[in-house]
């Protein structure tokens, strides 16, 4: 199976507010927001829901990003959900270890008031599998994400195949940190984003530590929670066949989108709709 694709401690994103990011995050944030504006072209914005959220639904959404990009990868989805009245938190993964990313997510969950939907993209799926046993978590959503069972790691899943164009292009640097070959990144990870934006993201990657890549999970939250899965059928990093296998063994409710690994940006409306379904899960 394809090797990981990931993004970067928890930051609350309350309804109808503006999220402010550190200066070093600004470039990537601008790139992803530009991508959303160009690709979604008027379909991204969702009308405010004046009647309020459905009775009994989870009002809190915590979004966990993957590797190589940061938490702003979730911005288009966060915008839609915030306009609907949900309280959205973007988790900023340090990407230094599985334990560090899980701790960042647990800190975010500790700040939630009531039922919470926990969502992970790519590497973020590994993180929510480990962190999602929190009693506040009412449902899990995996978006083009790895979903390991107990004892499995990103490395063991990658070794098991199927191989992908993007997975083959992941290489360690001198310190062992992993990135995707920038020449391969645009086509393998973000083929449905504008080429210049995909190339800029390729050259602004945030590396994933090998320690995170090789760490096995010992808690499997999806065994005890309602689970949803968004499968990206044109994904060249995490094979769609692998995504379907994860969804099947979790007995997840599945939705397919005709998108790349960056479907959380390009298909933000469809992804947000799945999260809203998860918010109603019993």
């Amino acid at each position: 199976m394809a090797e990981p694709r990931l993004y970067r401690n928890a930051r609350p994103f309350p309804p109808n507010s503006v999220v402010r990011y550190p200066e070093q995050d600004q470039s990537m944030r601008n790139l992803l927001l530009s991508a959303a504006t160009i690709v979604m072209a008027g379909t991204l914005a969702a009308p405010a829901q004046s009647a309020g959220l459905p009775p009994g639904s989870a009002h809190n959404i915590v979004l966990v990003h993957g590797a190589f990009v940061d938490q702003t990868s979730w911005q288009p989805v966060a915008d839609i959900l915030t306009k609907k009245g949900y309280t959205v938190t973007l988790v900023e993964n340090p990407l230094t270890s599985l334990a560090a990313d899980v701790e960042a997510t647990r800190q975010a969950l500790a700040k939630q008031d009531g039922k919470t939907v926990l969502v992970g993209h790519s590497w973020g799926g590994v993180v929510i599998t480990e962190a999602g046993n929190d009693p506040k978590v009412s449902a899990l959503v995996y978006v083009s994400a790895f979903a390991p069972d107990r004892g499995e790691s990103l490395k063991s899943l990658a070794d098991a195949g199927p191989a992908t164009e993007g997975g083959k292009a992941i290489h360690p640097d001198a310190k062992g940190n992993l990135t995707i070959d920038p020449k391969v990144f645009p086509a393998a990870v973000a083929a449905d984003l504008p080429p210049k934006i995909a190339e800029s993201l390729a050259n602004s990657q945030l590396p994933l530590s090998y320690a995170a890549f090789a760490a096995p999970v010992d808690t499997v939250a999806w065994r005890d929670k309602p689970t949803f899965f968004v499968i990206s059928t044109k994904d060249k990093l995490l094979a769609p066949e692998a995504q379907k296998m994860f969804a099947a063994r979790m007995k997840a409710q599945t939705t397919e989108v005709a998108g790349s690994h960056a479907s959380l940006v390009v298909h933000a409306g469809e992804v947000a709709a799945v999260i809203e379904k998860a918010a109603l899960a019993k």
Side-chain angles (χ1 to χ4, degrees):
M1 189 179 309
E3 295 177 89
R5 143 129 175 97
L6 308 105
Y7 310 116
R8 296 182 29 132
N9 289 352
R11 179 177 285 110
F13 189 76
N16 306 316
S17 68
V18 176
V19 176
R20 303 194 183 279
Y21 300 90
E23 185 175 345
Q24 60 267 35
D25 290 340
Q26 197 68 28
S27 176
M28 187 169 290
R29 175 177 181 245
N30 289 342
L31 283 169
L32 288 161
L33 291 180
S34 297
T37 300
I38 294 169
V39 176
M40 301 305 292
T43 64
L44 174 63
Q49 185 170 307
S50 58
L53 299 176
S57 68
H59 290 194
N60 306 305
I61 313 294
V62 172
L63 303 172
V64 183
H65 66 76
F68 312 139
V69 198
D70 68 10
Q71 73 279 8
T72 59
S73 57
W74 277 117
Q75 188 77 48
V77 171
D79 286 346
I80 293 171
L81 294 171
T82 300
K83 287 176 182 178
K84 293 289 188 76
Y86 294 94
T87 298
V88 181
T89 299
L90 307 178
V91 176
E92 185 181 3
N93 293 326
L95 302 178
T96 51
S97 68
L98 173 58
D101 287 5
V102 168
E103 178 58 26
T105 300
R106 286 175 173 160
Q107 289 179 16
L109 291 171
K111 297 176 183 178
Q112 306 308 308
D113 180 15
K115 291 169 60 177
T116 302
V117 178
L118 184 59
V119 189
H121 174 244
S122 193
W123 158 255
V126 180
V127 178
I128 70 171
T129 297
E130 184 78 22
N133 64 341
D134 188 289
K136 292 180 182 176
V137 175
S138 58
L140 300 166
V141 181
Y142 293 76
V143 181
S144 311
F146 294 88
D149 205 341
R150 185 172 289 104
E152 293 179 342
S153 65
L154 212 52
K155 182 180 186 304
S156 69
L157 295 176
D159 290 344
T164 61
E165 180 182 348
K168 293 175 182 177
I170 297 176
H171 305 295
D173 61 17
K175 297 181 180 179
N177 295 319
L178 303 171
T179 55
I180 299 174
D181 185 334
K183 294 179 181 179
V184 178
F185 186 107
V189 176
D192 39 14
L193 291 180
K196 288 186 178 180
I197 290 176
E199 290 168 8
S200 295
L201 290 172
N203 293 320
S204 305
Q205 294 179 65
L206 302 176
L208 173 71
S209 75
Y210 186 82
F213 179 57
V217 301
D218 56 23
T219 300
V220 184
W222 52 256
R223 291 192 176 279
D224 304 306
K225 308 277 184 176
T227 305
F228 297 75
F229 204 113
V230 179
I231 296 168
S232 299
T233 62
K234 296 183 179 180
D235 199 327
K236 295 182 180 179
L237 184 60
L238 174 53
E241 301 95 323
Q243 296 179 46
K244 291 176 182 178
M245 182 276 286
F246 293 145
R249 75 175 178 179
M250 292 191 294
K251 298 180 173 60
Q253 293 189 42
T254 61
T255 299
E256 294 189 4
V257 298
S260 71
H261 201 68
S263 60
L264 76 171
V265 175
V266 182
H267 294 272
E270 292 162 272
V271 172
V274 173
I275 295 170
E276 288 194 84
K277 286 183 182 179
L280 290 169
K282 302 292 185 181

